[in-house]
Structures are given as structure tokens and as C-alpha cells.
Amino acid sequence: VLMYQGDVDAAGEHYAEALRLRPGYAAAHYNLGMLYLNRGERYYGRAHDELEQALRIDPSLGEAARMLGWLERFQSGAPSGP
């Protein structure tokens, strides 16, 4: 909620705290990855790491897989169609 209200820093702190308390929380890794993705290209490496970690923990996270695939295509310079 904080991220979508524009308080990206607070949202990041909450996700980091959630992961400190529960490192295997796939949804927190996914949300942190999306936060980094929304921050822009400068943070894409961090976004990639978090999305990849979310999928390692829970391979059934389809949205994480989709976003990771998009990010990898973008970083490789491949067309990013649907």
C-alpha cells in the first residue's frame, strides 16, 4: 500500500523488515523486486535479484516469472512485445 501511495522509501523499509524476520517470504521478495523495478533502470539489477529469489522460494509465482522474463528481455535489448 505504501508503495502505491508514493511512499517508496517506507515501503522498501517494510519489505526489508519483513525479509529480516522471514527471509523465505517469497511475496516480500516479489514486492521488493517490483518496488525496484518501478524505481527505474538504475535499480533493475536489484529488481532482478529479488524476483529471482521470489521464484527460487516459490516457483508458482507466475507474475514474478513474467516480470523477470520481461526484465531479462529488456536488459538484453530484445523486443519486449506481449
Side-chain angles (χ1 to χ4, degrees):
V1 173
L2 290 169
M3 184 169 77
Y4 297 106
Q5 292 175 340
D7 197 348
V8 177
D9 292 333
E13 290 171 14
H14 283 275
Y15 295 139
E17 179 65 9
L19 290 170
R20 186 186 69 75
L21 295 172
R22 193 169 147 205
Y25 188 20
H29 283 287
Y30 168 76
N31 287 329
L32 189 54
M34 292 305 296
L35 181 145
Y36 286 136
L37 196 60
N38 286 315
R39 280 191 153 180
E41 288 186 51
R42 185 171 146 200
Y43 294 92
Y44 281 4
R46 292 179 185 181
H48 185 278
D49 294 345
E50 293 299 334
L51 292 169
E52 198 170 58
Q53 182 63 17
L55 284 169
R56 265 192 228 109
I57 295 165
D58 184 355
S60 72
L61 289 175
E63 186 62 14
R66 188 176 76 78
M67 294 309 298
L68 184 60
W70 175 87
L71 183 55
E72 289 176 346
R73 284 190 306 277
F74 179 84
Q75 290 177 316
S76 74
S80 62

